[in-house]
Amino acid sequence: MKFVSTRGQSPAISFEDVLLSGPAPDGGLYMPESWPTLDFARLSGNKPNYADLAATVVKHFADRDWFDAIDRHSQDVYARFDDPRVAPIRELSPHRWLLELFHGPTLAFKDFALQLLAPLMDEALARRGTRALVVAATSGDTGAAAVAALAGRANIDLVVLHPKGRISDVQRRQMTTATASNVRNVAIEGTFDDAQSLVKQLFADQAFARTHRLAAINSINWVRIAAQAAYYLATSLAFDRRPLTFSVPTGNFGDVFAGYVGKQLGIPIKRLIVATNANDILARAITSGTYARGAVHATLSPAMDIQVASNFERLLYEANGRDAATVRTLMETFAAKGALTIAPSALAAIQSLFIADCVRENETVATMKRVARDLDLLIDPHTAVGLTATRTAAEADDVVTLATAHPAKFPEAVELATGRKPELPERLRPILTAPERYETLPNDIQALKAHIAHQ
Ligand SMILES: *Cc1c(COP(=O)(O)O)cnc(C)c1O
């Protein structure tokens, strides 16, 4: 399988290249040049476990020389999740379920993709006889998942920047208590946007990026998206392929786009609900056709406090009949004006599958409270956004909400809503007392470059 850029001005690349790539050189995102389809008869005949399904999905996008590695790493990483079903499904009420995506090492769904991406990247680097330095900015979950996935890798070093004092203790400790020598944490005296901007500046300095072999693991990496499509498949099979609607708490549009990928692979998906918090750029775009940047609001679901949803470009590419010239014009307009307008035919295509819903803070709190009271169940605020948005589906539709994080990752919000404090799973308790290691740096690119060059 080859991968092409959504903006059409970069050469097509291989699976192995895409494994190690960020955005395409023309500024676009990589997409498979055509959609493969799953062979369901063969799949269900083999009684697959979760790891088999994940490997099957990813292999549909890979070249044959990667099949063994994908199989091997998939079995290895999903066996380490703390539930043998990996992504268990919990019934809440008639026609309503939760898909628990928080049984990985860092209690958020990002483990599903990063746990698999990390060993594949490491192997790609080994095949090429080279190393990479992954630099990532985090508002919490991505950093922890990256540390857990990359710690101890032979060919990858990791530097994670977090905004000093602006992430929860649990989130910080998940990163800073790592003992592997290839992991470094930096607290930036600034906001998440400052940290993100520093990372962008590092990559923009091409000489620096080359010298230090900078690499990214952000949610635009195709292999992350493909790995996430696997839980849509696993869920569909668990329901004997009856058509399902999924409600997906959305920030960067990665997770819900993985659902779209699943649909292209042949999974019967009726609707995808794009559930946003007050940062509603996607809800506005899908409802009105105008994708316009707004101010970022801090909410109880911080992993979704995003205004520009990178992966949305992939949907624009699809909805515009894969016409790269149209995408290029749209994205240039967006860069210049902070807004773009989706053509009516493309919007109709989007609306035939996606429903969007913007959930307010008081509604998120009310949902957490109701679920705690009626079902004796604590859910995290991101999951609560998704569950609230199921109100957009018909009562008789079968709706699965993606539970993207464990409630113990967001204890303050859960306690505020329910009066109950979620317990950290046993296996994570050591981080509460383990020694932390991190440097503090000013919000200054020269200081960061010096810090990286110094190692
Ligand atoms: C990252 C994250 C999201 C948003 O996922 P996207 O792929 O960016 O849309 C939702 N919930 C949690 C808990 C997350 O960590």
Side-chain angles (χ1 to χ4, degrees):
M1 175 72 74
K2 288 272 183 207
F3 293 83
V4 295
S5 166
T6 50
R7 301 198 194 171
Q9 297 193 316
S10 296
I13 64 171
S14 68
F15 174 81
E16 186 173 305
D17 290 327
V18 111
L19 202 47
L20 298 172
S21 296
D26 63 8
L29 303 183
Y30 286 111
M31 287 283 282
E33 65 178 354
S34 61
W35 290 114
T37 48
L38 292 165
D39 179 349
F40 282 97
R42 199 159 130 215
L43 257 183
S44 24
N46 293 342
K47 295 247 174 299
N49 65 17
Y50 186 88
D52 298 329
L53 295 176
T56 300
V57 171
V58 175
K59 282 191 290 187
H60 274 75
F61 298 101
D63 300 311
R64 208 155 266 288
D65 61 332
W66 276 92
F67 283 14
D68 286 347
I70 293 166
D71 282 330
R72 187 161 27 87
H73 293 306
S74 187
Q75 296 298 337
D76 181 45
V77 301
Y78 296 115
R80 286 196 237 125
F81 278 47
D82 74 7
D83 187 298
R85 296 163 296 176
V86 183
I89 298 163
R90 179 194 289 269
E91 182 166 8
L92 298 179
S93 58
H95 305 292
R96 297 292 183 266
W97 291 268
L98 275 189
L99 176 63
E100 295 183 356
L101 299 177
F102 50 70
H103 293 279
T106 71
L107 310 181
F109 84 92
K110 291 187 172 73
D111 289 327
F112 277 82
L114 284 171
Q115 284 288 312
L116 185 59
L117 178 64
L120 291 172
M121 272 180 86
D122 202 30
E123 187 155 336
L125 291 163
R127 287 185 189 188
R128 294 179 175 197
T130 182
R131 301 182 58 80
L133 171 64
V134 169
V135 185
T138 186
S139 55
D141 290 342
T142 304
V147 168
L150 293 176
R153 299 283 163 205
N155 305 297
I156 308 176
D157 295 303
L158 172 66
V159 174
V160 185
L161 313 184
H162 70 263
K164 188 175 170 67
R166 290 171 198 255
I167 61 174
S168 76
D169 278 6
V170 170
Q171 286 179 321
R172 189 189 67 251
R173 287 183 157 277
Q174 280 187 313
M175 302 190 285
T176 57
T177 56
T179 54
S181 61
N182 70 328
V183 172
R184 278 185 283 157
N185 282 283
V186 177
I188 295 291
E189 290 171 329
T191 62
F192 168 65
D193 288 336
D194 293 331
Q196 179 103 305
S197 157
L198 288 172
V199 172
K200 286 200 175 134
Q201 291 175 63
L202 281 185
F203 279 88
D205 180 341
Q206 291 187 6
F208 188 88
R210 236 188 338 267
T211 308
H212 296 280
R213 302 178 203 279
L214 295 192
I217 45 152
N218 39 31
S219 72
I220 57 164
N221 185 295
W222 180 262
V223 181
R224 279 184 68 172
I225 305 273
Q228 287 170 213
Y231 43 73
Y232 291 90
L233 173 61
T235 307
S236 177
L237 294 180
F239 284 88
D240 293 324
R241 287 204 284 143
R242 118 171 61 132
L244 297 174
T245 289
F246 289 91
S247 182
V248 188
T250 299
N252 214 3
F253 207 72
D255 207 3
V256 72
F257 189 74
Y260 175 88
V261 172
K263 173 123 179 142
Q264 305 316 303
L265 292 172
I267 301 168
I269 293 175
K270 184 173 181 199
R271 291 279 180 162
L272 290 168
I273 302 172
V274 178
T276 75
N277 63 25
N279 298 286
D280 62 348
I281 178 170
L282 285 165
R284 283 182 284 122
I286 292 168
T287 311
S288 73
T290 303
Y291 181 72
R293 194 196 300 262
V296 178
H297 305 286
T299 71
L300 293 171
S301 44
M304 294 152 50
D305 290 350
I306 288 174
Q307 275 291 340
V308 178
S310 317
N311 280 296
F312 194 58
E313 179 168 343
R314 288 190 158 117
L315 183 63
L316 290 174
Y317 179 70
E318 288 283 296
N320 285 286
R322 296 194 148 224
D323 179 9
T326 301
V327 175
R328 208 157 58 234
T329 309
L330 285 173
M331 297 317 292
E332 277 163 11
T333 307
F334 185 73
K337 302 204 178 124
L340 64 81
T341 303
I342 305 168
S345 60
L347 185 62
I350 290 171
Q351 290 174 341
S352 69
L353 179 62
F354 292 91
I355 314 175
D357 192 17
C358 163
V359 176
R360 301 290 159 196
E361 292 289 88
N362 60 327
E363 296 169 330
T364 305
V365 168
T367 297
M368 284 193 278
K369 190 179 284 193
R370 179 177 57 78
V371 171
R373 186 193 60 215
D374 295 352
L375 302 170
D376 191 26
L377 179 69
L378 298 182
I379 58 171
D380 100 285
H382 304 79
T383 305
V385 169
L387 194 56
T388 309
T390 59
R391 64 191 172 193
T392 57
E395 231 169 88
D397 282 354
D398 292 318
V399 188
V400 178
T401 298
L402 273 54
T404 50
H406 190 286
K409 269 203 116 159
F410 301 93
E412 295 84 5
V414 174
E415 194 171 1
L416 173 93
T418 65
R420 288 164 56 183
K421 209 180 162 93
E423 292 243 330
L424 201 60
E426 187 83 40
R427 69 189 159 86
L428 268 110
R429 282 188 209 148
I431 66 165
L432 296 176
T433 49
E436 293 188 80
R437 280 192 312 149
Y438 64 93
E439 295 275 339
T440 300
L441 291 180
N443 174 20
D444 175 64
I445 187 68
Q446 295 313 332
L448 178 61
K449 282 183 179 170
H451 177 74
I452 287 173
H454 201 68
Q455 299 294 310

